[in-house]
Amino acid sequence: MSKDREEVRRAVLSCLEEGSTDRLRQCLKDLHPADIAEVLPDISLGQQVKVLRVMEPDRAAQVIFELDREKLPILMECLGLQRTADILSAMFTDDAADLLGDLPEDLRQKLLGLMEAHEARDVKELLTYGEETAGGIMTTEYVAIPQDITAGQAIEVLRENAPDAETVYYVYVVDDQNHLVGVLSLRELILAAPNMRIEDIMRRKVISVNVRTDQEEVARLVAKYDFLAVPVVSDAGELLGIVTVDDVLDVIEREATEDMMRMAATIDSEGEDPDARPFKRALRRLPWLVGLLFGELVAGHVIEGFSETLQHVTALAFFMTAIAGGTGNAATQSLAVVVRGIATGEVDPSQILKVIWKEAQVGLWVGLVCGLVVGSFAFVWQGSPSLGLVVGGALALSITVSTILGSFVPVIINRIGVDPALASGPFITTLMDVSSMFIYFTLATIILIR
Protein backbone atom coordinates (compact mmCIF):
# COMPACT_ATOMS: atom_id res chain seq x y z
CA MET A 1 0.00 0.00 0.00
CA SER A 2 1.41 3.44 -0.95
CA LYS A 3 2.22 6.01 1.70
CA ASP A 4 -0.50 8.41 0.51
CA ARG A 5 -3.12 5.66 0.50
CA GLU A 6 -2.13 4.57 3.99
CA GLU A 7 -2.40 8.17 5.24
CA VAL A 8 -5.91 8.52 3.79
CA ARG A 9 -6.96 5.19 5.31
CA ARG A 10 -5.71 6.24 8.73
CA ALA A 11 -7.47 9.61 8.47
CA VAL A 12 -10.80 7.94 7.61
CA LEU A 13 -10.44 5.33 10.37
CA SER A 14 -9.51 8.01 12.90
CA CYS A 15 -12.67 9.98 12.12
CA LEU A 16 -14.78 6.81 12.23
CA GLU A 17 -13.40 5.89 15.65
CA GLU A 18 -14.35 9.28 17.09
CA GLY A 19 -17.98 8.32 16.56
CA SER A 20 -19.06 11.84 15.61
CA THR A 21 -21.07 12.10 12.40
CA ASP A 22 -20.25 15.78 12.01
CA ARG A 23 -16.54 15.12 12.50
CA LEU A 24 -16.63 12.31 9.93
CA ARG A 25 -18.50 14.50 7.46
CA GLN A 26 -15.95 17.29 7.87
CA CYS A 27 -13.06 14.85 7.56
CA LEU A 28 -14.43 13.43 4.30
CA LYS A 29 -14.91 16.92 2.85
CA ASP A 30 -11.17 17.43 3.04
CA LEU A 31 -10.48 14.26 1.00
CA HIS A 32 -10.80 13.78 -2.73
CA PRO A 33 -13.53 11.28 -3.75
CA ALA A 34 -10.95 9.27 -5.74
CA ASP A 35 -8.83 8.89 -2.59
CA ILE A 36 -11.84 7.80 -0.57
CA ALA A 37 -12.78 5.23 -3.22
CA GLU A 38 -9.24 3.85 -3.15
CA VAL A 39 -9.23 3.18 0.60
CA LEU A 40 -12.87 2.18 1.01
CA PRO A 41 -12.20 -1.54 0.26
CA ASP A 42 -9.60 -1.52 3.06
CA ILE A 43 -12.20 -0.91 5.78
CA SER A 44 -15.13 -3.03 6.95
CA LEU A 45 -18.47 -3.14 5.12
CA GLY A 46 -20.20 -1.39 8.02
CA GLN A 47 -17.64 1.40 7.94
CA GLN A 48 -18.05 1.75 4.18
CA VAL A 49 -21.79 2.18 4.63
CA LYS A 50 -21.30 4.81 7.32
CA VAL A 51 -18.92 6.77 5.10
CA LEU A 52 -21.31 6.78 2.15
CA ARG A 53 -24.31 7.71 4.29
CA VAL A 54 -22.76 10.90 5.69
CA MET A 55 -21.46 12.17 2.34
CA GLU A 56 -23.39 14.46 0.04
CA PRO A 57 -25.07 12.44 -2.75
CA ASP A 58 -22.94 13.99 -5.52
CA ARG A 59 -19.66 13.18 -3.73
CA ALA A 60 -20.90 9.72 -2.75
CA ALA A 61 -21.74 9.20 -6.44
CA GLN A 62 -18.13 9.94 -7.42
CA VAL A 63 -16.90 7.42 -4.85
CA ILE A 64 -19.31 4.63 -5.80
CA PHE A 65 -18.54 4.97 -9.51
CA GLU A 66 -14.88 4.15 -8.82
CA LEU A 67 -15.56 0.99 -6.78
CA ASP A 68 -15.33 -2.64 -7.90
CA ARG A 69 -18.61 -3.40 -9.68
CA GLU A 70 -18.67 -7.01 -8.46
CA LYS A 71 -18.88 -5.88 -4.83
CA LEU A 72 -21.44 -3.12 -5.40
CA PRO A 73 -24.64 -5.22 -5.03
CA ILE A 74 -23.81 -6.18 -1.42
CA LEU A 75 -22.75 -2.62 -0.59
CA MET A 76 -25.95 -1.21 -2.09
CA GLU A 77 -28.14 -3.62 -0.17
CA CYS A 78 -26.46 -2.59 3.10
CA LEU A 79 -26.56 1.09 2.18
CA GLY A 80 -30.27 0.89 1.44
CA LEU A 81 -31.87 0.95 -2.00
CA GLN A 82 -33.44 4.39 -1.53
CA ARG A 83 -30.13 5.96 -0.48
CA THR A 84 -28.44 4.22 -3.41
CA ALA A 85 -31.10 5.51 -5.80
CA ASP A 86 -30.58 9.05 -4.49
CA ILE A 87 -26.85 8.72 -5.12
CA LEU A 88 -27.47 7.40 -8.65
CA SER A 89 -29.78 10.34 -9.32
CA ALA A 90 -26.91 12.67 -8.40
CA MET A 91 -24.67 11.07 -11.03
CA PHE A 92 -24.39 12.21 -14.60
CA THR A 93 -26.69 10.02 -16.66
CA ASP A 94 -23.89 8.31 -18.60
CA ASP A 95 -22.13 7.32 -15.38
CA ALA A 96 -25.37 6.07 -13.84
CA ALA A 97 -26.12 4.03 -16.97
CA ASP A 98 -22.61 2.52 -16.97
CA LEU A 99 -22.94 1.51 -13.33
CA LEU A 100 -26.47 0.14 -13.61
CA GLY A 101 -25.57 -1.77 -16.76
CA ASP A 102 -23.10 -3.84 -14.73
CA LEU A 103 -25.60 -4.72 -11.98
CA PRO A 104 -27.94 -7.75 -11.87
CA GLU A 105 -31.21 -7.16 -13.72
CA ASP A 106 -33.44 -7.37 -10.63
CA LEU A 107 -31.35 -4.87 -8.66
CA ARG A 108 -31.16 -2.55 -11.67
CA GLN A 109 -34.94 -2.45 -12.02
CA LYS A 110 -35.44 -1.81 -8.30
CA LEU A 111 -33.06 1.12 -8.36
CA LEU A 112 -34.57 2.60 -11.54
CA GLY A 113 -37.97 2.43 -9.89
CA LEU A 114 -36.70 4.43 -6.90
CA MET A 115 -34.81 7.10 -8.89
CA GLU A 116 -36.31 10.45 -9.82
CA ALA A 117 -38.59 10.01 -12.83
CA HIS A 118 -36.70 12.19 -15.30
CA GLU A 119 -33.33 10.75 -14.24
CA ALA A 120 -34.62 7.19 -14.58
CA ARG A 121 -36.07 7.96 -18.00
CA ASP A 122 -32.77 9.32 -19.32
CA VAL A 123 -30.81 6.39 -17.89
CA LYS A 124 -33.22 3.84 -19.37
CA GLU A 125 -32.81 5.50 -22.77
CA LEU A 126 -29.03 5.22 -22.55
CA LEU A 127 -29.28 1.56 -21.56
CA THR A 128 -31.07 0.81 -24.83
CA TYR A 129 -27.99 1.69 -26.87
CA GLY A 130 -25.16 -0.74 -27.47
CA GLU A 131 -22.50 -0.69 -24.78
CA GLU A 132 -19.71 0.00 -27.27
CA THR A 133 -21.48 2.71 -29.28
CA ALA A 134 -21.53 6.49 -29.01
CA GLY A 135 -25.03 6.23 -27.59
CA GLY A 136 -23.83 3.85 -24.90
CA ILE A 137 -21.18 6.26 -23.57
CA MET A 138 -22.84 9.64 -24.19
CA THR A 139 -24.41 11.87 -21.56
CA THR A 140 -27.71 13.67 -22.05
CA GLU A 141 -26.64 16.53 -19.79
CA TYR A 142 -25.37 19.22 -22.12
CA VAL A 143 -26.11 22.84 -23.01
CA ALA A 144 -28.03 23.61 -26.18
CA ILE A 145 -29.46 26.96 -27.27
CA PRO A 146 -31.72 28.07 -30.13
CA GLN A 147 -30.14 29.85 -33.07
CA ASP A 148 -32.48 32.84 -33.10
CA ILE A 149 -31.45 34.40 -29.77
CA THR A 150 -28.70 36.91 -28.97
CA ALA A 151 -25.39 36.24 -27.24
CA GLY A 152 -26.64 38.05 -24.15
CA GLN A 153 -29.74 35.85 -23.99
CA ALA A 154 -27.59 32.75 -24.54
CA ILE A 155 -25.45 33.61 -21.51
CA GLU A 156 -28.61 33.84 -19.43
CA VAL A 157 -29.62 30.37 -20.68
CA LEU A 158 -26.19 29.09 -19.63
CA ARG A 159 -26.52 30.56 -16.15
CA GLU A 160 -29.77 28.68 -15.77
CA ASN A 161 -28.78 25.32 -17.30
CA ALA A 162 -25.00 25.00 -16.91
CA PRO A 163 -25.09 23.69 -13.30
CA ASP A 164 -26.80 20.52 -14.55
CA ALA A 165 -24.51 20.04 -17.56
CA GLU A 166 -21.48 17.75 -17.50
CA THR A 167 -19.42 20.26 -19.49
CA VAL A 168 -19.96 23.77 -20.85
CA TYR A 169 -16.81 24.17 -22.91
CA TYR A 170 -18.95 23.93 -26.02
CA VAL A 171 -22.40 25.40 -26.57
CA TYR A 172 -24.46 23.54 -29.16
CA VAL A 173 -27.01 25.31 -31.33
CA VAL A 174 -30.27 23.63 -32.39
CA ASP A 175 -33.29 24.57 -34.49
CA ASP A 176 -36.96 24.22 -33.55
CA GLN A 177 -36.85 20.43 -34.21
CA ASN A 178 -33.71 20.00 -32.05
CA HIS A 179 -31.52 19.39 -35.11
CA LEU A 180 -27.86 20.25 -34.54
CA VAL A 181 -27.12 23.27 -36.73
CA GLY A 182 -24.07 24.89 -35.13
CA VAL A 183 -21.59 25.11 -32.30
CA LEU A 184 -19.53 27.76 -30.54
CA SER A 185 -17.09 27.69 -27.67
CA LEU A 186 -17.82 29.31 -24.35
CA ARG A 187 -14.98 31.74 -25.06
CA GLU A 188 -16.53 32.79 -28.39
CA LEU A 189 -19.87 33.36 -26.68
CA ILE A 190 -18.41 35.48 -23.88
CA LEU A 191 -16.38 37.64 -26.29
CA ALA A 192 -19.32 38.24 -28.63
CA ALA A 193 -21.28 41.51 -28.38
CA PRO A 194 -24.45 40.95 -26.29
CA ASN A 195 -26.72 41.99 -29.16
CA MET A 196 -25.17 39.67 -31.77
CA ARG A 197 -27.40 36.83 -32.90
CA ILE A 198 -26.17 33.27 -32.30
CA GLU A 199 -26.71 32.27 -35.92
CA ASP A 200 -24.26 35.00 -36.95
CA ILE A 201 -21.40 33.86 -34.70
CA MET A 202 -21.84 30.08 -34.58
CA ARG A 203 -19.79 27.64 -36.65
CA ARG A 204 -22.14 25.80 -38.98
CA LYS A 205 -19.80 22.95 -39.91
CA VAL A 206 -20.13 20.74 -36.84
CA ILE A 207 -18.18 17.51 -36.45
CA SER A 208 -20.51 14.98 -34.85
CA VAL A 209 -21.01 11.22 -34.55
CA ASN A 210 -24.03 9.04 -35.10
CA VAL A 211 -25.57 7.40 -32.05
CA ARG A 212 -24.53 3.96 -33.39
CA THR A 213 -20.90 4.91 -34.13
CA ASP A 214 -18.43 2.51 -32.52
CA GLN A 215 -16.81 3.92 -29.38
CA GLU A 216 -13.31 3.35 -30.77
CA GLU A 217 -14.15 5.57 -33.76
CA VAL A 218 -15.44 8.23 -31.35
CA ALA A 219 -12.16 8.03 -29.42
CA ARG A 220 -10.15 8.43 -32.64
CA LEU A 221 -12.22 11.46 -33.61
CA VAL A 222 -11.76 13.16 -30.24
CA ALA A 223 -8.00 12.47 -30.33
CA LYS A 224 -7.67 13.71 -33.92
CA TYR A 225 -9.37 17.07 -33.32
CA ASP A 226 -8.39 17.50 -29.63
CA PHE A 227 -12.03 17.86 -28.66
CA LEU A 228 -13.19 18.11 -25.07
CA ALA A 229 -16.57 16.77 -26.17
CA VAL A 230 -18.24 15.60 -29.38
CA PRO A 231 -22.00 15.79 -30.10
CA VAL A 232 -24.03 12.65 -30.78
CA VAL A 233 -26.89 12.83 -33.27
CA SER A 234 -29.63 10.56 -34.56
CA ASP A 235 -30.04 9.46 -38.18
CA ALA A 236 -32.22 12.54 -38.68
CA GLY A 237 -29.59 14.88 -37.23
CA GLU A 238 -31.28 15.46 -33.87
CA LEU A 239 -28.93 16.24 -30.99
CA LEU A 240 -29.20 13.37 -28.50
CA GLY A 241 -26.20 13.91 -26.23
CA ILE A 242 -22.45 14.43 -26.06
CA VAL A 243 -19.43 12.23 -25.40
CA THR A 244 -16.91 13.94 -23.13
CA VAL A 245 -13.15 13.44 -23.12
CA ASP A 246 -13.20 11.64 -19.75
CA ASP A 247 -15.48 8.99 -21.25
CA VAL A 248 -13.11 8.69 -24.22
CA LEU A 249 -10.18 8.09 -21.85
CA ASP A 250 -12.17 5.27 -20.23
CA VAL A 251 -12.82 3.79 -23.68
CA ILE A 252 -9.14 3.93 -24.62
CA GLU A 253 -8.16 2.24 -21.35
CA ARG A 254 -10.76 -0.52 -21.75
CA GLU A 255 -9.93 -1.17 -25.40
CA ALA A 256 -6.18 -1.25 -24.71
CA THR A 257 -6.74 -3.73 -21.88
CA GLU A 258 -8.99 -5.93 -24.02
CA ASP A 259 -6.48 -5.91 -26.89
CA MET A 260 -3.66 -6.93 -24.58
CA MET A 261 -5.76 -9.70 -23.02
CA ARG A 262 -6.79 -10.99 -26.45
CA MET A 263 -3.20 -10.96 -27.64
CA ALA A 264 -2.42 -13.11 -24.62
CA ALA A 265 -5.43 -15.31 -25.49
CA THR A 266 -6.97 -14.84 -22.04
CA ILE A 267 -10.36 -13.55 -23.21
CA ASP A 268 -12.50 -14.41 -26.19
CA SER A 269 -13.64 -12.30 -29.12
CA GLU A 270 -16.59 -10.98 -27.13
CA GLY A 271 -14.23 -9.30 -24.69
CA GLU A 272 -15.55 -10.97 -21.56
CA ASP A 273 -14.41 -9.73 -18.17
CA PRO A 274 -11.04 -11.30 -17.36
CA ASP A 275 -11.75 -11.09 -13.63
CA ALA A 276 -13.72 -14.34 -13.69
CA ARG A 277 -13.27 -17.45 -11.58
CA PRO A 278 -10.04 -19.40 -12.18
CA PHE A 279 -11.83 -22.38 -13.77
CA LYS A 280 -13.70 -20.16 -16.23
CA ARG A 281 -10.52 -18.31 -17.13
CA ALA A 282 -8.75 -21.63 -17.65
CA LEU A 283 -11.49 -22.73 -20.05
CA ARG A 284 -10.90 -19.61 -22.13
CA ARG A 285 -7.20 -20.28 -22.41
CA LEU A 286 -7.29 -24.05 -22.96
CA PRO A 287 -8.49 -24.07 -26.62
CA TRP A 288 -5.64 -21.78 -27.59
CA LEU A 289 -2.99 -23.54 -25.57
CA VAL A 290 -4.02 -27.06 -26.61
CA GLY A 291 -4.13 -26.00 -30.25
CA LEU A 292 -0.72 -24.36 -29.97
CA LEU A 293 0.69 -27.52 -28.40
CA PHE A 294 -0.03 -29.30 -31.66
CA GLY A 295 1.77 -26.44 -33.41
CA GLU A 296 4.82 -27.07 -31.24
CA LEU A 297 4.60 -30.76 -32.18
CA VAL A 298 4.93 -29.67 -35.80
CA ALA A 299 8.11 -27.80 -34.82
CA GLY A 300 9.34 -30.99 -33.15
CA HIS A 301 8.57 -32.92 -36.32
CA VAL A 302 10.67 -30.44 -38.30
CA ILE A 303 13.61 -31.00 -35.94
CA GLU A 304 13.15 -34.76 -36.20
CA GLY A 305 13.43 -34.50 -39.97
CA PHE A 306 16.90 -33.04 -39.53
CA SER A 307 18.03 -35.53 -36.86
CA GLU A 308 20.94 -36.65 -39.03
CA THR A 309 22.22 -33.09 -39.23
CA LEU A 310 21.86 -32.70 -35.48
CA GLN A 311 23.82 -35.91 -34.85
CA HIS A 312 26.71 -34.70 -37.00
CA VAL A 313 26.89 -31.25 -35.37
CA THR A 314 25.62 -31.51 -31.79
CA ALA A 315 26.55 -27.88 -31.11
CA LEU A 316 23.49 -26.92 -33.16
CA ALA A 317 21.29 -27.99 -30.23
CA PHE A 318 22.84 -25.32 -28.01
CA PHE A 319 21.56 -22.48 -30.21
CA MET A 320 18.03 -23.82 -30.83
CA THR A 321 16.45 -21.87 -27.95
CA ALA A 322 18.17 -18.64 -29.02
CA ILE A 323 16.93 -19.03 -32.58
CA ALA A 324 13.35 -19.89 -31.58
CA GLY A 325 13.12 -17.39 -28.71
CA GLY A 326 14.68 -14.50 -30.61
CA THR A 327 12.40 -14.86 -33.62
CA GLY A 328 9.29 -15.30 -31.44
CA ASN A 329 10.09 -12.12 -29.51
CA ALA A 330 10.69 -10.14 -32.71
CA ALA A 331 7.39 -11.36 -34.18
CA THR A 332 5.48 -10.42 -31.01
CA GLN A 333 6.99 -6.92 -31.08
CA SER A 334 5.88 -6.37 -34.68
CA LEU A 335 2.46 -7.77 -33.83
CA ALA A 336 2.07 -5.36 -30.91
CA VAL A 337 3.13 -2.35 -33.00
CA VAL A 338 0.74 -3.15 -35.86
CA VAL A 339 -2.23 -4.07 -33.63
CA ARG A 340 -1.83 -0.82 -31.72
CA GLY A 341 -1.49 1.11 -34.98
CA ILE A 342 -4.70 -0.39 -36.35
CA ALA A 343 -6.54 0.36 -33.09
CA THR A 344 -5.40 4.02 -33.03
CA GLY A 345 -5.76 4.59 -36.76
CA GLU A 346 -2.02 5.15 -37.25
CA VAL A 347 -1.81 2.07 -39.50
CA ASP A 348 -3.99 2.02 -42.62
CA PRO A 349 -4.89 -1.63 -43.34
CA SER A 350 -5.47 -0.74 -47.00
CA GLN A 351 -1.75 -0.01 -47.38
CA ILE A 352 -0.71 -3.54 -46.46
CA LEU A 353 2.46 -3.63 -48.57
CA LYS A 354 3.71 -0.39 -47.06
CA VAL A 355 3.11 -1.69 -43.52
CA ILE A 356 4.88 -5.00 -44.21
CA TRP A 357 7.79 -3.35 -46.02
CA LYS A 358 8.36 -0.93 -43.14
CA GLU A 359 8.45 -3.73 -40.56
CA ALA A 360 10.59 -5.92 -42.85
CA GLN A 361 13.25 -3.20 -42.93
CA VAL A 362 13.21 -3.02 -39.15
CA GLY A 363 13.46 -6.82 -38.97
CA LEU A 364 16.36 -6.87 -41.40
CA TRP A 365 18.44 -4.47 -39.31
CA VAL A 366 17.55 -6.22 -36.06
CA GLY A 367 18.25 -9.61 -37.61
CA LEU A 368 21.64 -8.57 -38.97
CA VAL A 369 22.79 -7.21 -35.61
CA CYS A 370 21.47 -10.17 -33.59
CA GLY A 371 22.81 -12.65 -36.16
CA LEU A 372 26.25 -11.03 -36.05
CA VAL A 373 26.35 -11.16 -32.24
CA VAL A 374 25.20 -14.78 -31.89
CA GLY A 375 27.12 -15.96 -34.96
CA SER A 376 30.34 -14.45 -33.60
CA PHE A 377 29.76 -16.21 -30.29
CA ALA A 378 29.27 -19.55 -32.09
CA PHE A 379 32.47 -19.01 -34.10
CA VAL A 380 34.57 -18.11 -31.03
CA TRP A 381 33.09 -20.93 -28.93
CA GLN A 382 33.53 -23.73 -31.45
CA GLY A 383 36.23 -22.22 -33.65
CA SER A 384 34.08 -22.99 -36.69
CA PRO A 385 33.36 -20.22 -39.22
CA SER A 386 30.74 -22.46 -40.85
CA LEU A 387 28.83 -22.89 -37.59
CA GLY A 388 28.97 -19.13 -36.99
CA LEU A 389 27.61 -18.56 -40.50
CA VAL A 390 24.76 -21.04 -39.96
CA VAL A 391 23.73 -19.67 -36.56
CA GLY A 392 24.10 -16.00 -37.49
CA GLY A 393 22.50 -16.41 -40.92
CA ALA A 394 19.58 -18.44 -39.60
CA LEU A 395 18.87 -15.93 -36.83
CA ALA A 396 19.09 -12.94 -39.20
CA LEU A 397 16.80 -14.58 -41.76
CA SER A 398 14.33 -15.87 -39.15
CA ILE A 399 13.98 -12.48 -37.44
CA THR A 400 13.36 -10.81 -40.80
CA VAL A 401 10.68 -13.39 -41.62
CA SER A 402 9.19 -13.06 -38.14
CA THR A 403 8.70 -9.29 -38.41
CA ILE A 404 7.02 -9.77 -41.79
CA LEU A 405 4.62 -12.37 -40.36
CA GLY A 406 4.07 -10.31 -37.21
CA SER A 407 2.89 -7.38 -39.33
CA PHE A 408 1.16 -9.40 -42.04
CA VAL A 409 -1.13 -11.56 -39.87
CA PRO A 410 -3.00 -8.79 -37.96
CA VAL A 411 -3.52 -6.75 -41.14
CA ILE A 412 -5.03 -9.74 -42.96
CA ILE A 413 -7.22 -10.64 -39.99
CA ASN A 414 -8.45 -7.04 -39.77
CA ARG A 415 -9.27 -7.10 -43.49
CA ILE A 416 -11.56 -10.09 -43.11
CA GLY A 417 -13.47 -8.31 -40.32
CA VAL A 418 -11.98 -10.01 -37.24
CA ASP A 419 -10.40 -8.16 -34.31
CA PRO A 420 -6.63 -8.14 -35.10
CA ALA A 421 -5.85 -8.57 -31.40
CA LEU A 422 -6.99 -12.17 -31.84
CA ALA A 423 -3.77 -12.75 -33.81
CA SER A 424 -2.26 -13.50 -30.44
CA GLY A 425 1.35 -13.57 -29.37
CA PRO A 426 1.26 -17.32 -28.60
CA PHE A 427 -0.01 -18.05 -32.13
CA ILE A 428 2.75 -16.02 -33.76
CA THR A 429 5.37 -17.51 -31.46
CA THR A 430 4.33 -21.06 -32.37
CA LEU A 431 4.32 -20.23 -36.07
CA MET A 432 7.84 -18.84 -35.76
CA ASP A 433 9.05 -21.90 -33.84
CA VAL A 434 8.17 -24.01 -36.87
CA SER A 435 9.60 -21.65 -39.50
CA SER A 436 12.77 -20.75 -37.56
CA MET A 437 13.67 -24.40 -36.96
CA PHE A 438 13.11 -25.14 -40.64
CA ILE A 439 15.35 -22.25 -41.68
CA TYR A 440 18.01 -23.15 -39.09
CA PHE A 441 18.36 -26.81 -39.95
CA THR A 442 18.04 -26.26 -43.69
CA LEU A 443 20.99 -23.86 -43.61
CA ALA A 444 22.91 -26.26 -41.35
CA THR A 445 22.31 -29.16 -43.75
CA ILE A 446 23.38 -27.13 -46.79
CA ILE A 447 26.49 -25.57 -45.24
CA LEU A 448 27.71 -28.12 -42.68
CA ILE A 449 26.73 -31.52 -44.14
CA ARG A 450 26.72 -31.29 -47.90
Side-chain angles (χ1 to χ4, degrees):
M1 184 182 296
S2 68
K3 183 179 178 181
D4 291 342
R5 179 173 177 176
E6 177 61 22
E7 288 177 355
V8 173
R9 188 184 72 86
R10 288 178 179 175
V12 172
L13 286 175
S14 176
C15 294
L16 283 166
E17 289 170 359
E18 290 185 19
S20 169
T21 301
D22 291 337
R23 175 75 180 99
L24 177 60
R25 184 178 291 111
Q26 185 59 46
C27 174
L28 295 173
K29 280 185 179 180
D30 296 333
L31 298 175
H32 194 282
D35 292 328
I36 299 173
E38 187 177 39
V39 303
L40 213 60
D42 299 332
I43 62 180
S44 69
L45 182 59
Q47 291 172 324
Q48 293 179 36
V49 170
K50 189 171 183 179
V51 166
L52 291 172
R53 279 180 177 166
V54 302
M55 297 179 72
E56 293 296 324
D58 58 334
R59 281 173 57 81
Q62 296 177 58
V63 173
I64 282 184
F65 188 73
E66 298 295 330
L67 297 178
D68 186 347
R69 301 294 168 84
E70 289 186 358
K71 298 179 180 179
L72 277 183
I74 296 176
L75 178 59
M76 290 177 172
E77 292 284 355
C78 295
L79 187 60
L81 293 183
Q82 185 58 61
R83 170 64 176 172
T84 301
D86 293 340
I87 292 173
L88 289 171
S89 295
M91 286 184 179
F92 291 116
T93 52
D94 57 332
D95 291 341
D98 286 344
L99 192 150
L100 285 168
D102 291 334
L103 296 179
E105 177 66 23
D106 58 339
L107 180 58
R108 183 192 313 159
Q109 294 304 324
K110 288 179 182 178
L111 291 170
L112 284 170
L114 293 171
M115 290 174 63
E116 295 179 15
H118 69 284
E119 293 284 349
R121 183 180 63 253
D122 290 343
V123 171
K124 286 179 181 178
E125 182 180 349
L126 292 181
L127 288 171
T128 62
Y129 299 115
E131 290 184 10
E132 298 189 351
T133 64
I137 60 174
M138 73 178 182
T139 179
T140 56
E141 290 149 329
Y142 57 89
V143 176
I145 57 176
Q147 60 183 331
D148 56 356
I149 63 174
T150 64
Q153 291 172 321
I155 290 176
E156 290 302 318
V157 172
L158 256 65
R159 287 198 180 103
E160 182 179 347
N161 297 325
D164 296 326
E166 186 163 344
T167 178
V168 290
Y169 292 112
Y170 303 121
V171 181
Y172 300 101
V173 186
V174 295
D175 61 16
D176 295 337
Q177 284 75 44
N178 199 46
H179 294 119
L180 180 63
V181 294
V183 66
L184 66 161
S185 68
L186 185 60
R187 181 175 183 272
E188 291 170 327
L189 180 60
I190 293 173
L191 293 178
N195 60 347
M196 288 191 68
R197 294 176 66 84
I198 293 299
E199 58 187 351
D200 294 330
I201 60 175
M202 70 182 187
R203 282 170 281 157
R204 297 180 182 275
K205 189 175 180 180
V206 186
I207 297 175
S208 61
V209 296
N210 185 273
V211 70
R212 292 189 298 275
T213 300
D214 186 86
Q215 62 179 5
E216 288 190 74
E217 180 59 33
V218 178
R220 280 194 286 268
L221 192 67
V222 170
K224 179 180 180 180
Y225 294 104
D226 290 328
F227 285 154
L228 295 173
V230 62
V232 181
V233 298
S234 67
D235 293 336
E238 297 174 274
L239 181 59
L240 301 177
I242 62 172
V243 176
T244 56
V245 68
D246 61 316
D247 295 316
V248 167
L249 290 174
D250 291 338
V251 168
I252 293 173
E253 181 182 3
R254 285 197 304 269
E255 293 294 337
T257 300
E258 284 185 10
D259 284 349
M260 290 303 297
M261 298 298 286
R262 284 175 181 153
M263 286 178 67
T266 55
I267 63 174
D268 60 23
S269 60
E270 298 301 318
E272 292 184 21
D273 181 10
D275 296 324
R277 292 183 178 181
F279 181 72
K280 188 175 181 180
R281 294 177 66 185
L283 287 178
R284 292 184 191 143
R285 302 184 191 188
L286 276 172
W288 283 84
L289 295 177
V290 171
L292 295 175
L293 281 175
F294 285 99
E296 295 293 349
L297 292 177
V298 174
H301 183 68
V302 170
I303 296 173
E304 182 186 18
F306 291 95
S307 58
E308 184 178 344
T309 301
L310 192 57
Q311 287 174 3
H312 278 81
V313 188
T314 55
L316 290 171
F318 181 81
F319 296 98
M320 285 171 56
T321 54
I323 300 291
T327 54
N329 292 335
T332 302
Q333 286 179 332
S334 290
L335 175 69
V337 169
V338 175
V339 168
R340 179 189 177 278
I342 292 174
T344 60
E346 296 173 7
V347 171
D348 185 358
S350 65
Q351 298 181 335
I352 180 172
L353 294 179
K354 182 179 179 181
V355 173
I356 294 174
W357 172 239
K358 190 174 182 180
E359 281 300 308
Q361 293 178 76
V362 174
L364 180 60
W365 281 108
V366 171
L368 287 174
V369 173
C370 291
L372 181 62
V373 171
V374 179
S376 298
F377 175 79
F379 166 64
V380 172
W381 179 45
Q382 292 290 316
S384 171
S386 298
L387 179 63
L389 179 61
V390 169
V391 173
L395 185 57
L397 183 56
S398 295
I399 287 180
T400 304
V401 171
S402 72
T403 54
I404 294 174
L405 288 176
S407 57
F408 178 77
V409 171
V411 173
I412 292 300
I413 287 184
N414 184 72
R415 273 199 165 188
I416 62 177
V418 178
D419 190 340
L422 291 173
S424 66
F427 174 77
I428 291 293
T429 302
T430 302
L431 182 61
M432 285 316 305
D433 284 346
V434 176
S435 59
S436 64
M437 288 301 98
F438 180 79
I439 292 171
Y440 183 38
F441 284 106
T442 298
L443 277 180
T445 302
I446 293 172
I447 297 174
L448 299 177
I449 303 302
R450 296 178 183 177

